[in-house]
């Protein structure tokens, strides 16, 4: 891997009110102990759009994503500085109730992690814990979220079956259904298709494209074709920095930064 | 104001449940630590009374060999020499460990190197059952089988260190074996492969390579076994004869710290010298248990350094 | 050739040792069961014990053992789950946690007679509980807590971290996630450990001699009011258990048929332990199957 000039960046700014910004970060830094894993990342995520975060492994894209709904809080010795703006609030602050915040900023992980419960309970469990008792509403949510996640037709007759009996691709779509059942504003996805076969990947991608009508989506992917196929914006990460952020079409056809150019053209990664 | 925005600034139900849960679990763990401290405090405060209140010298306590706490000797010193019990406890502990270690290593090698399949199917459950048998049952078998057998073979009453050793041997065998098995299993496979590839037989490989690499783990097992033997009360008490005399051979009645404690605690008055002296024995037992713990740690650290 | 010969000899010797150990267990079990089982009749299991005459039973002791076990488990299960959750989920990596872990390790290796004497001093004398079931249950809790706690901690840690992340990402607290997701998944292991702990408690005697006491006053099995002095449920009455009974009759030796009664009682005790071992396996497996299938 060549040495790149890390001071040279190309980050476009999305102006309101032309673009409605659902979430943004200002000078976000992540530290693990002494190690600085993210340097001053400032990005914006437009509402009802898919933004892809790309970069080689170790570039910091997952670290960045996980700090957006403060999942890094749970890692010992980690520290996040800078602002994460959501609904005019800096949610990277002690005043914010992280649990409530995560109801609105949901996350789907790299490896499918359904609960060892029935398909139905996987989706309704959190809702019930949050106080939703209306059986009719819960039934409805199960059906709509499974339909949105393109899983309904395969499981509608076996909602009582253990989620662990599903295939990997189905499990991941169940996890997506579980996340959207919360009716979040924003959906963060951390390489959701990396553990799946090509056919399942394809289904998940189609699901995401449909979901952006209702949700703002930020997705980490190491698959450049995937980023190109589904996203509207793309951010390129390298060495713990966001170096380029642009419309996907532009970033893939005419990258401005040397590192991004090399990565997109397959020179490293 | 936007209701979602407002809700983000309020403490949610989940946050409250987290605070509550953390508190509950912290209380539980603190209780355990508190109990440990309390055990040390109470046993020590009683056990030290012999030395500070009744002015018995620690040296005499550890080295004198007459145990008769309700009497005083010709110089007016109370007769609280714990040496017979100390000798008894160490005697049965070392002998049992000496006997159990070769068996445990043999069984361990059989279970890991020779026939892992039969080891898992047969010996593993056997060990679990041996651990599970209550100590009074061991004591009863000792009393009704081993003691008569010793009497028959060597004469005397049959009670004594030999009978105690036999009972403890069976009781600590599973402890030492299971830890030996763990130690042998943790020896990387490539050690064996390298040795076998050089033309060594299985036995040579086991003896020279595997056992050597597993030594710290096996030693830890032996120490654990000794700790169990040292602290065992009833099974030993039932077969050792309960005579607080210096043991001269293995087949005359003797006693251990635990046996004197179980026999004597009910027959003494709280706060009397005789009672305090018993608590001193309990304190000694506690300190030995600590020492065994420390030993395990030291071996573990040394083993980790040699890796 | 010499090395090969040695190899064969060693293999034979080691196989012999393994066989000897199996034989040893077979003899132990055989001896107890052959000598004890003929005495185990319905009469023996239900009648009260006799001190000076033949033909006494173990009814009261058997009941006491189970009652004490249940009380001890009722106290120690929630405590050990709480403590296990702390160690597996919340304990920071620092010296305080190290001290806590060491304390638990020390407690688990303390001789049970020392734990019993502590219970005698604190529960029986200081708390003025006297020789009672309650004092016995408390001391068994102390005796059992470290192992149960470690068992819970290990069971929780064996559940993958991603399960907790899943709960957190849905806006649930760590505690809720552990309570409703992780614990149910760890249940097979937790239950297995609890039952094995119960077996250990059932056979324990040294810790009980000076806490639950060495006498078994006869019980009135028609009055179950816990406040009534002879009620089986009264937690303040002294209660000799089966294991203590075996020790007692063997060390006092007034009872004319002490050996026969001990053999019978030992057989019952061993069968109970075998049952606990078997239950631990079966129930653990069944719970696991129920959770992953269906």
């Amino acid at each position: 891997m060549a040495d790149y000039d890390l001071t040279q960046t190309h980050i476009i700014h999305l102006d309101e009110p032309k673009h409605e910004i659902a979430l943004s970060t200002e000078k976000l830094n992540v530290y693990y102990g002494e190690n600085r894993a993210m340097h001053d990342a400032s990005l914006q995520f437009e509402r009802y759009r898919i933004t892809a975060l790309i970069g080689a492994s170790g570039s910091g894209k997952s670290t960045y994503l996980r700090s957006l709904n403060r999942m890094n809080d749970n890692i010992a010795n980690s520290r996040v500085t800078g602002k994460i703006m959501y609904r005019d609030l800096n949610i990277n602050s002690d005043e914010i109730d992280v649990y409530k915040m995560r109801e609105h900023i949901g996350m789907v992980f790299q490896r499918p992690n359904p609960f060892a419960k029935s398909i139905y309970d996987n989706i309704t469990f959190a809702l019930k814990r949050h106080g939703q008792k209306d059986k009719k509403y819960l039934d409805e949510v199960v059906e709509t979220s499974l339909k949105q996640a393109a899983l309904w037709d395969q499981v509608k007759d076996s909602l009582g079956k253990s989620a662990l009996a599903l295939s990997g691709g189905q499990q991941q779509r169940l996890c997506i259904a579980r996340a959207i059942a919360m009716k979040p504003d924003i959906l963060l996805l951390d390489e959701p298709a990396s553990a799946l076969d090509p056919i399942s990947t394809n289904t998940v991608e189609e699901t995401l494209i449909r979901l952006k009508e209702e949700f703002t989506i930020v997705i980490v992917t190491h698959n450049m074709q995937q980023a190109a196929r589904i996203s509207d914006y793309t951010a390129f990460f390298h060495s713990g920095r966001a170096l380029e952020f642009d419309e996907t079409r532009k970033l893939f056809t005419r990258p401005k930064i040397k590192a991004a150019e090399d990565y997109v053209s397959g020179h490293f990664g | 104001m936007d209701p979602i925005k407002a809700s983000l600034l309020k403490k949610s139900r989940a946050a409250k449940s987290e605070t509550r849960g953390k508190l509950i679990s912290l209380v539980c763990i603190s209780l355990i630590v508190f109990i440990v401290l309390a055990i040390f405090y109470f046993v020590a405060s009683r056990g030290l009374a012999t030395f500070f209140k009744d002015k018995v010298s620690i040296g005499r306590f550890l080295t004198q060999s007459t145990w008769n706490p309700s009497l005083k000797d010709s110089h007016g010193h109370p007769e609280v020499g714990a040496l017979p019990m100390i000798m008894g406890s160490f005697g049965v502990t070392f002998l049992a460990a000496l006997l159990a270690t070769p068996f445990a290593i043999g069984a361990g090698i059989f279970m890991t190197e020779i026939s892992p399949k039969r080891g898992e199917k047969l010996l593993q459950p056997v060990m679990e059952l041996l651990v599970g048998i209550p100590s009074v049952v061991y004591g009863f078998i000792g009393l009704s089988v081993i003691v008569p057998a010793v009497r028959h073979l060597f004469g005397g009453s049959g009670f004594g260190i030999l009978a105690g050793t036999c009972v403890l041997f069976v009781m600590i065998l599973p402890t030492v074996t299971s830890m030996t098995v763990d130690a042998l299993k943790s020896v990387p496979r490539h050690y064996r492969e390298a040795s076998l590839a050089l033309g060594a037989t299985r036995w040579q490989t086991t003896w020279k390579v595997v056992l050597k690499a597993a030594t710290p783990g096996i030693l830890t097992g032996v120490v654990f076994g000794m700790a169990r033997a040292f602290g065992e009360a009833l099974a030993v008490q039932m077969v050792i004869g309960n005579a607080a005399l210096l043991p001269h051979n293995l087949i005359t009645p003797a006693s251990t710290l635990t046996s004197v404690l179980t026999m004597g605690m009910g027959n003494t008055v709280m706060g009397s010298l005789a009672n305090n002296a018993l608590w001193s024995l309990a304190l000694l037992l506690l300190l030995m248990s600590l020492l065994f713990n420390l030993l395990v740690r030291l071996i573990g650290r040394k083993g980790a350094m040699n890796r | 050739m010499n090395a090969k010969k040695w190899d064969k000899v060693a293999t034979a010797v080691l196989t012999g040792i393994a066989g000897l150990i199996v034989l040893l267990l077979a003899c132990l079990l055989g001896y107890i069961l052959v000598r004890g089982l003929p005495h185990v009749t319905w009469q023996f299991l239900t009648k009260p014990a006799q001190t000076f005459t033949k033909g006494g039973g173990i009814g009261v002791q058997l009941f006491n053992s189970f009652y004490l076990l249940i009380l001890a488990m009722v106290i120690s299960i929630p405590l050990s789950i709480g403590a296990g959750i702390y160690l597996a989920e919340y304990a920071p990596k620092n010296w305080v946690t190290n001290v806590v872990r060491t304390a638990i390790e020390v407690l688990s290796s303390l001789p049970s007679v020392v734990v019993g004497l502590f219970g005698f001093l604190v529960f029986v004398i200081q708390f003025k509980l006297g020789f009672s079931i309650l004092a016995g249950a408390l001391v068994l809790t102390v005796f059992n807590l470290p192992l149960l706690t470690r068992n819970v901690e290990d069971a929780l840690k064996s559940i993958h971290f991603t399960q907790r992340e899943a709960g957190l990402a849905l806006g649930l607290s760590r505690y809720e996630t552990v309570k409703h997701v992780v614990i149910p998944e760890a249940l097979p292991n937790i239950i297995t450990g609890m039952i094995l702990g119960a077996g250990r408690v059932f056979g324990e005697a040294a810790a009980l001699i000076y806490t639950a006491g060495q006498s078994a006053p006869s019980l009135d099995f028609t009055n179950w009011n816990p406040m009534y002095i002879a009620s089986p449920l009264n937690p303040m009455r002294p209660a000799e258990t089966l294991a203590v009974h075996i020790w007692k009759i063997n060390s006092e030796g007034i009872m004319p048929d002490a050996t026969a009664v001990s053999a019978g009682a030992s057989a019952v005790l061993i069968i109970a332990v075998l049952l606990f071992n078997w239950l631990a396996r079966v129930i653990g497996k069944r719970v696991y199957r129920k959770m992953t299938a269906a």
Side-chain angles (χ1 to χ4, degrees), chain A residues 87, chain B residues 1-7:
Chain A
R87 292 183 182 250
Chain B
M1 194 160 135
D2 170 6
I4 290 182
K5 191 172 162 184
S7 74

Side-chain angles (χ1 to χ4, degrees), chain B residues 136-152:
Chain B
V136 282
V137 174
Y138 279 116
F140 168 64
I141 294 175
L143 196 61
S144 52
V145 179
I146 294 174
V147 170
V150 171
R151 187 187 310 145
H152 188 73

Side-chain angles (χ1 to χ4, degrees), chain B residues 13 17 128 203 237 262 293, chain C residues 7 109 173 176 210 247 281:
Chain B
R13 182 200 54 80
S17 95
E128 279 166 22
W203 172 242
Q237 184 267 329
T262 39
N293 249 296
Chain C
D7 189 55
S109 62
S173 67
E176 276 178 293
Y210 292 113
W247 172 75
R281 266 167 224 262

Side-chain angles (χ1 to χ4, degrees), chain A residues 16 55 106 126 179 229:
Chain A
E16 290 183 281
R229 275 195 300 268

